[in-house]
Amino acid sequence: MGQRQLIAIEMDVLAKNNKLAAHNREHFDEAAQLVLNLVSSPGSGKTTLLCETLRQLADKRPCAVIEGDQQTSADADRIRATGVPAVQINTGKGCHLDAKMVHDACHQLPANEGGILFIENVGNLVCPASFDLGEKYKVAILSVTEGEEKPLKYPDMFAAAQLMVINKIDLLPYVSFDVARCIENAKRVNPYIQVIQVSATTGEGMDAWLNWLATA
Ligand SMILES: Nc1nc2c(ncn2[C@@H]2O[C@H](COP(=O)(O)OP(=O)(O)OP(=O)(O)O)[C@@H](O)[C@H]2O)c(=O)[nH]1
Ligand SMILES: [Mg+2]
């Protein structure tokens, strides 16, 4: 296939996705729902952060979760164990969620007027950057074991994100990760990006994250 044909197909796919994402966004706005698309590399702590967030938040505000993974329902099972409804989407060979998958999953969730819908994307710092799901914000989670240069190596993701959550700060004494350099790198690709540092396992920084959610 020629390069020109390939580009045309990619543009078609993204245009179709953008249309569906706009449709999703209309529904979310009508229901006054805050919808967040959590993106990161595999294992940065998305599900752990979500479980801790839901434990602290779900009795104050209705919450629901859409989980994206290539295989297994492990993450949705972890979310349901907190008492919050969750739908698992398995993308098979696919490396990201798209707006149609999210649209269909929403129909399997109870009404969530005024609540928060968290979408955990497939662990991947590349493809999910290009696919709008209808969310209000993308939240990029980067853990301190991944290296402070990641925002420069995967700039599209950090450019698309409203917030970077630096997770696993409890491990900072054991790894060489320069937090200030990481923030500087993120701001080079996105001068407006907000930053919160947390440990999903010790709870440090959770107040700042919960405050951000309250005003998002
Ligand atoms: N030390 C430490 N470990 C953490 C923290 N958050 C998550 N972990 C651990 O990191 C590993 C991966 O966490 P998950 O929550 O499954 O990460 P994920 O981003 O959901 O992973 P995928 O869904 O596979 O992309 C688990 O062993 C967690 O216990 C943290 O703040 N500190
Ligand atoms: Mg997960």
Side-chain angles (χ1 to χ4, degrees):
M1 188 183 287
Q3 193 70 6
R4 196 186 293 262
Q5 274 172 297
L6 198 62
I7 290 169
I9 290 172
E10 271 179 22
M11 283 167 62
D12 280 353
V13 168
L14 289 177
K16 193 172 163 203
N17 184 74
N18 285 343
K19 210 169 148 194
L20 279 167
H23 173 78
N24 288 349
R25 191 166 280 116
E26 273 171 29
H27 280 297
F28 297 148
D29 287 348
E30 273 163 25
Q33 245 185 330
L34 170 64
V35 181
L36 300 173
N37 181 359
L38 272 56
V39 290
S40 81
S41 59
S44 67
K46 297 179 293 302
T47 312
T48 308
L49 178 66
L50 270 181
C51 288
E52 189 49 34
T53 304
L54 298 171
R55 271 183 216 109
Q56 300 199 31
L57 189 66
D59 59 346
K60 301 179 188 74
R61 198 163 167 189
C63 292
V65 177
I66 295 174
E67 279 292 341
D69 266 319
Q70 285 198 312
Q71 296 285 339
T72 87
S73 60
D75 283 1
D77 294 342
R78 286 167 68 189
I79 299 293
R80 285 189 205 108
T82 69
V84 168
V87 173
Q88 181 79 51
I89 300 172
N90 283 137
T91 57
K93 301 234 178 283
C95 54
H96 58 87
L97 294 177
D98 65 30
K100 169 84 167 70
M101 295 173 189
V102 167
H103 177 269
D104 294 350
C106 283
H107 285 287
Q108 298 173 51
L109 285 168
N112 186 22
E113 190 95 10
I116 307 183
L117 172 64
F118 297 94
I119 305 172
E120 179 179 337
N121 219 311
V122 179
N124 177 346
L125 274 177
V126 183
C127 310
S130 305
F131 284 81
D132 184 7
L133 305 178
E135 74 273 0
K136 183 168 185 189
Y137 298 128
K138 286 186 176 65
V139 176
I141 295 151
L142 179 66
S143 58
V144 303
T145 51
E146 294 169 57
E148 67 268 352
E149 75 289 358
K150 290 301 175 289
L152 298 179
K153 295 180 76 174
Y154 303 95
D156 289 350
M157 187 60 88
F158 292 86
Q162 176 78 15
L163 171 71
M164 172 171 72
V165 175
I166 302 179
N167 188 32
K168 308 195 187 182
I169 57 168
D170 53 294
L171 299 180
L172 279 173
Y174 314 106
V175 292
S176 63
F177 181 91
D178 186 333
V179 174
R181 180 66 61 83
C182 178
I183 296 171
E184 196 183 302
N185 290 340
K187 295 211 172 198
R188 270 175 69 185
V189 298
N190 179 354
Y192 303 105
I193 198 163
Q194 296 170 275
V195 183
I196 292 175
Q197 300 177 46
V198 302
S199 167
T201 49
T202 68
E204 195 180 347
M206 284 299 288
D207 285 351
W209 163 238
L210 292 169
N211 285 340
W212 186 88
L213 287 173
T215 54

